[in-house]
Amino acid sequence: MSDLVIPQNYSPVLSVKETEHAIVMIKDFFQLALSTELNLTRVTAPLFVPQGTGLNDDCNVVERAVSFPVKDMDDAPMEIVHSLAKWKRVKVTDLRLGAGFGIYTDMNAIRADEELDNVHSLYVDQWDWEMAIREEDRTVYYLREVVRSIFRCLKRTEFFIYDRYDKIKPILPDDITFIYAEDLQKA
């Protein structure tokens, strides 16, 4: 059963048509900004992968992949993608991308075991990326710089949309704040 909650007296800021247009503009603008900022190349994500290859990441061990046999492949079982975590790493390796370069993709997936609510759906349209980095760049400092780059792209995207839809007010802070898990635990 879905836990969809629509707040009382809710009134959308944009019409359905404007919302659809804004979604496209946000995705197009943000992926161009981020791909430029982080040296990412667009690749097409698979909709399904062969069962048992490990490409359909089973991180939580609970998700059941939607699967089906392929007649023309001796009924070999395929799985609808629900995560590209492993596939992206394989793709970056297959493309022989050097440190500081990576990929981005738009994943479409079905998550049959998702708990449905205002944020979670059976159908997932998820934009994702992966970058090759050097061993010596696996540091908090490097990660912070990447996060700052992503945040700059988010800020530019926010202004881009506000400039076209003045009903949508910018809300992001000027700077991003980093909080460590240990500090949160102490609080």
Side-chain angles (χ1 to χ4, degrees), residues 111-144:
R111 293 186 177 155
D113 292 325
E114 198 70 52
E115 291 185 22
L116 309 179
D117 59 24
N118 290 37
V119 178
H120 300 91
S121 168
L122 291 174
Y123 171 72
V124 178
D125 182 354
Q126 177 178 309
W127 192 86
D128 212 342
W129 65 281
E130 188 81 21
M131 178 193 293
I133 63 172
R134 300 175 303 175
E135 185 82 32
E136 57 266 27
D137 289 331
R138 294 179 184 181
T139 65
V140 170
Y141 174 78
Y142 185 83
L143 179 60
R144 282 178 166 217

Side-chain angles (χ1 to χ4, degrees), residues 37 145 147-157:
E37 185 85 20
E145 290 308 307
V147 170
R148 284 187 179 102
S149 294
I150 295 167
F151 188 71
R152 282 192 299 273
C153 294
L154 289 170
K155 289 282 290 179
R156 287 198 303 269
T157 304

